[in-house]
Amino acid sequence: MAHADAAVVGNSETRPKPPPIPLSEIALTGIYEISKILNAPNRLETTLSNVLNVLSSFLQMRHGVISLLADDDVPDITVGIGWNEGTDERYKARLPETAIGQIVATAVPLVAEDVATHPLFTTDATALGADGDVRVSFIGVPIRIGAKVVGTLTIDRVWDGHSVFRLDTDVRFLTMIANLIGQTVQLHRVVSRDRDRLMAESYRLQKELSELKPARERKKVLIKGIVGDSPALRSLLEKITIVAKSNSTVLLRGESGTGKELIAKAIHELSPRAKGPFVKINCAALPESVLESELFGHEKGAFTGAINARKGRFELADKGTLFLDEIGEISPAFQAKLLRVLQEQEFERVGGNHTIKVDVRVVTATNRNLEEAVSRKEFRADLYYRISVVPMLMPPLRDRRSDIPQLAGEFLRRFNGENDRTLTFDARAMEVLMGCGFPGNVRELENCVQRTATLAHGPSIVMDDFACRRNECLSAMLWKGQSEIAPQRLRPAIPLPVLPAAAAIGASAPPAHQPVEDSAPVYAGAGAAPANRGEIPDRERFIEAMEKSGWVQAKAARMLGLTPRQIGYALKKHGIEIKHL
């Protein structure tokens, strides 16, 4: 028995240690972790800083810096571990200019085992922390978009006697990371250019809207199927006639039941695409897997039950208009797929690998506060910019109460035609409708008229025919709880970093007696206050430069011929809040 115990102890003492993890496996894990960071929808500087944070856990390094170049090869973005706004200069101080210049010019990695003795670091060795007792090594690799070098990824470390083989391994690893960074930078730049184009288009349309003639000179706009003559509705219809002429993406915002689908169809019918198809889909009504097939189509055998190939809504809407209702309800994963289609107007069917090109104008709608969803990272900011080129707010029925008699009369006429009746409204009956809140807006008014007409006993609808006269109207209780908060439903939770110079068309519908000030910036949420006209003109010049540069201070400084320090001072002086896009 003693021998057996001894044997067990001996086995545990002589058990071989597990082999070290191969460097190739460590590198693969590092690439996987970094690819996840690069796919996250964050600001580019934040993403690159997070990459360096992860990189430091896979490589022996003291500091890491990613520097991206502008079109004139001047450093545009410089980030390091723990980057935050205003720290660019601190990281630029760690960039050896001569060595970086060689990496950019030759597009070849650079390795220096000891920067103190390397000819390219004659004036920069001290900045990297090298002195008599500390030997510092340096590795720098180019970041490319195609064949063009757009930046560098560099690290430095205290030399610990590692072999040249280890340095070569690190160079290969960093080169792979730099290639992934290059793809991400390219995507960000494409999105940025696309956003700038969309903002310019939105600004042009807003300028057209602001130049509308005074109300007394305007010709009344009539659109088939849209009933009413209230100031709020007339203002909306005038905007529709202008917006319909372009191909810009429109975002219809407003409460449920305000007629967003009807307005979307009107935009289509007044546009040059009127002879093309008008296709609609409710994004909230379908699960993500079904929605993808519905929008993009599928190939035969793509999934169980796909016995034939089928075209999606994008293909069916080619040369026409696609209306995406409840756009705010789609999942973050599907938002990325939709963004690509909206930007490139191309996609593949589910289960297919053939790229299909389409020409589709997209109109979207939501009753959600998308700005708040963006701030909570529930909705992608890049998709928000893409769909919100021309945001238009649908006025609720409480803001167009003078339209109630016309709407009620139209709904009763339809009911009579469908049911072979000749009902009319008693004079007192219309007083009941004018006194109702209708939290469900036009849709609820239509339901009320149809329900009351169905149960009416005489040739006319009278006061006592309405459910609210008998305390049987559930909507009356709903209205009581919502009447005070409903006007705030679309108010954003934060100041919005969206569009310049009143570019958010129709974002806030002012009362008829309150004219819109043409030069006042308007944010995309209802109720946002216009800028103070009393402020000095220089402030507007700084804001314009910041917006054109995507709120990157270094870019704005170059545009204005200033240093980053000067523009930072000016922004503080004028109280301009930095927007993080």
Side-chain angles (χ1 to χ4, degrees), residues 327-347:
I327 188 72
E329 305 305 318
I330 61 176
S331 69
F334 193 73
Q335 290 170 27
K337 298 177 183 178
L338 183 59
L339 176 64
R340 181 219 167 185
V341 180
L342 295 182
Q343 285 182 172
E344 307 296 336
Q345 293 270 300
E346 63 182 29
F347 58 92

Side-chain angles (χ1 to χ4, degrees), residues 65-126:
V65 178
I66 295 174
S67 179
L68 300 179
L69 307 177
D71 293 335
D72 53 1
D73 289 340
V74 174
D76 182 25
I77 295 175
T78 305
V79 300
I81 298 173
W83 176 90
N84 55 59
E85 196 72 48
T87 58
D88 293 51
E89 294 300 326
R90 175 156 59 94
Y91 298 118
K92 285 179 182 177
R94 294 191 173 280
L95 287 176
E97 293 185 7
T98 306
I100 294 297
Q102 175 168 312
I103 296 172
V104 173
T106 63
V108 174
L110 173 66
V111 178
E113 294 184 25
D114 184 358
V115 297
T117 61
H118 198 286
L120 292 176
F121 296 85
T122 304
T123 60
D124 300 302
T126 303

Side-chain angles (χ1 to χ4, degrees), residues 432-472:
V432 176
L433 291 176
M434 291 296 290
C436 289
F438 295 115
N441 296 295
V442 177
R443 183 184 296 125
E444 185 184 353
L445 173 61
E446 181 178 14
N447 292 343
C448 176
V449 171
Q450 290 189 355
R451 179 175 61 251
T452 306
T454 300
L455 299 174
H457 298 291
S460 297
I461 296 177
V462 298
M463 292 180 67
D464 291 339
D465 287 329
F466 290 99
C468 58
R469 299 288 294 177
R470 303 186 298 274
N471 293 323
E472 297 176 356

Side-chain angles (χ1 to χ4, degrees), residues 31-307:
I31 291 171
Y32 171 70
E33 293 298 328
I34 288 173
S35 66
K36 289 196 296 183
I37 292 173
L38 293 174
N39 284 327
N42 292 320
R43 181 176 177 178
L44 181 58
E45 289 92 334
T46 303
T47 296
L48 298 180
S49 179
N50 290 340
V51 167
L52 291 171
N53 286 336
V54 173
L55 198 59
S56 65
S57 64
F58 287 91
L59 285 180
Q60 178 198 2
M61 54 185 277
R62 287 194 313 172
H63 307 105
V65 178
I66 295 174
S67 179
L68 300 179
L69 307 177
D71 293 335
D72 53 1
D73 289 340
V74 174
D76 182 25
I77 295 175
T78 305
V79 300
I81 298 173
W83 176 90
N84 55 59
E85 196 72 48
T87 58
D88 293 51
E89 294 300 326
R90 175 156 59 94
Y91 298 118
K92 285 179 182 177
R94 294 191 173 280
L95 287 176
E97 293 185 7
T98 306
I100 294 297
Q102 175 168 312
I103 296 172
V104 173
T106 63
V108 174
L110 173 66
V111 178
E113 294 184 25
D114 184 358
V115 297
T117 61
H118 198 286
L120 292 176
F121 296 85
T122 304
T123 60
D124 300 302
T126 303
L128 290 173
D131 57 35
D133 298 326
V134 179
R135 182 180 179 185
V136 176
S137 60
F138 172 92
I139 303 176
V141 297
I143 298 173
R144 298 185 181 90
I145 295 179
K148 180 177 175 60
V149 176
V150 297
T152 58
L153 166 60
T154 63
I155 69 167
D156 62 75
R157 60 163 67 118
V158 175
W159 178 255
D160 61 354
H162 277 303
S163 65
V164 175
F165 171 75
R166 175 60 189 271
L167 285 174
D168 290 342
T169 302
D170 290 344
V171 168
R172 288 196 295 272
F173 178 56
L174 289 172
T175 300
M176 288 187 283
I177 301 303
N179 289 337
L180 293 177
I181 293 172
Q183 295 172 18
T184 301
V185 171
Q186 182 180 26
L187 177 60
H188 274 260
R189 290 185 174 180
V190 168
V191 171
S192 178
R193 286 194 297 268
D194 190 52
R195 184 184 64 196
D196 291 343
R197 181 182 62 80
L198 295 175
M199 291 169 70
E201 172 69 4
S202 182
Y203 178 78
R204 183 187 66 78
L205 289 171
Q206 178 63 25
K207 186 177 179 182
E208 287 189 31
L209 292 176
S210 68
E211 293 172 353
L212 286 172
K213 297 179 181 179
R216 61 179 179 274
E217 300 178 14
R218 295 175 192 164
K219 183 179 179 181
K220 187 175 180 181
V221 178
L222 297 175
I223 297 178
K224 181 181 178 182
I226 299 179
V227 177
D229 194 34
S230 63
L233 184 63
R234 285 203 309 269
S235 176
L236 177 64
L237 297 184
E238 288 164 356
K239 292 172 182 175
I240 288 173
T241 59
I242 293 176
V243 170
K245 297 174 185 177
S246 75
N247 283 318
S248 299
T249 305
V250 178
L251 174 61
L252 303 178
R253 310 186 65 164
E255 300 170 16
S256 179
T258 50
K260 293 188 282 290
E261 181 179 330
L262 195 61
I263 296 299
K265 190 169 185 180
I267 291 173
H268 169 73
E269 292 178 347
L270 292 174
S271 74
R273 298 172 176 268
K275 294 183 180 180
F278 176 75
V279 180
K280 58 187 179 182
I281 186 170
N282 189 316
C283 298
L286 300 170
E288 182 178 323
S289 57
V290 178
L291 182 61
E292 183 174 7
S293 175
E294 283 292 319
L295 283 176
F296 308 144
H298 61 255
E299 298 291 353
K300 180 179 179 180
F303 50 83
T304 304
I307 57 176

Side-chain angles (χ1 to χ4, degrees), residues 307-321:
I307 57 176
N308 292 304
R310 182 187 178 202
K311 290 184 177 181
R313 304 294 175 96
F314 270 98
E315 281 184 85
L316 295 175
D318 191 31
K319 304 297 189 296
T321 303

Side-chain angles (χ1 to χ4, degrees), residues 336-374:
K337 298 177 183 178
L338 183 59
L339 176 64
R340 181 219 167 185
V341 180
L342 295 182
Q343 285 182 172
E344 307 296 336
Q345 293 270 300
E346 63 182 29
F347 58 92
E348 292 82 35
R349 291 179 182 172
V350 176
N353 52 21
H354 173 65
T355 300
I356 299 171
K357 293 281 292 184
V358 291
D359 175 17
V360 175
R361 192 215 185 136
V362 175
V363 178
T364 63
T366 185
N367 57 12
R368 287 192 65 191
N369 186 327
L370 291 186
E371 292 78 24
E372 197 172 81
V374 170

